[in-house]
Amino acid sequence: MQIGVETSRAVENKRIFVVDDDEIIRAALQFMLHDENETHEVASLDIAFAKAAEWKPDLILLAASIVRGAGVGVLSQIREGIAGVKILVVVDSAKDEIGRQSLSAGAHAIIAKPLTIENVREKVDVLLGRRVGFAIPLTVLKTP
């Protein structure tokens, strides 16, 4: 176990899929989350859907590049294909247009790079209902 990991979270067994076509980002996010969650690295949405048929995730961390490539409609496909899953889109910047579009299309939250272990864990904990955290209202992130 890493320093700063709460034992109760390690045994709570929330399942997270990190879906990113960038192997380094996938590995970094998996490393940040694996002590407190059952975290799986997934290279594509097709693999995520196949894996979710047997191991439904509670949360998907989804790369903005995948949303950009597939279109924001993919968020509806995820919500319909994996009922009850939360979606956190990983963007390059909080001002990234794909982040705003993702929120409008049904993503539950975005997280901007650079990623830190503290910020990632806090955002994940909030989405999994483990703590009440600071949340930016969607109206603040939407463009006029």
Side-chain angles (χ1 to χ4, degrees), residues 46-102:
D46 290 337
I47 296 169
F49 281 123
K51 197 170 198 170
E54 292 188 36
W55 296 342
K56 182 186 165 299
D58 299 292
L59 173 67
I60 292 179
L61 275 73
L62 183 62
S65 60
I66 291 177
V67 177
R68 196 175 288 112
V72 293
V74 76
L75 297 166
S76 296
Q77 293 173 356
I78 293 169
R79 286 194 326 272
E80 291 168 10
I82 309 171
V85 72
K86 302 280 185 173
I87 304 169
L88 174 60
V89 179
V90 181
V91 296
D92 291 327
S93 162
K95 297 178 181 179
D96 193 339
E97 185 60 30
I98 198 69
R100 295 170 197 259
Q101 292 172 1
S102 295

Side-chain angles (χ1 to χ4, degrees), residues 3 5-6 10-11 13 27-28 37 41 43 58 61 66 69 75-77 79 96 103-104 111 119-120 124 133 138 141:
I3 296 172
V5 174
E6 292 185 31
V11 297
N13 208 26
N37 304 281
E41 292 182 50
D58 299 292
L61 275 73
I66 291 177
L75 297 166
S76 296
Q77 293 173 356
R79 286 194 326 272
D96 193 339
L103 288 169
S104 295
I111 188 166
N119 289 343
V120 170
V124 165
L138 295 181
L141 293 174

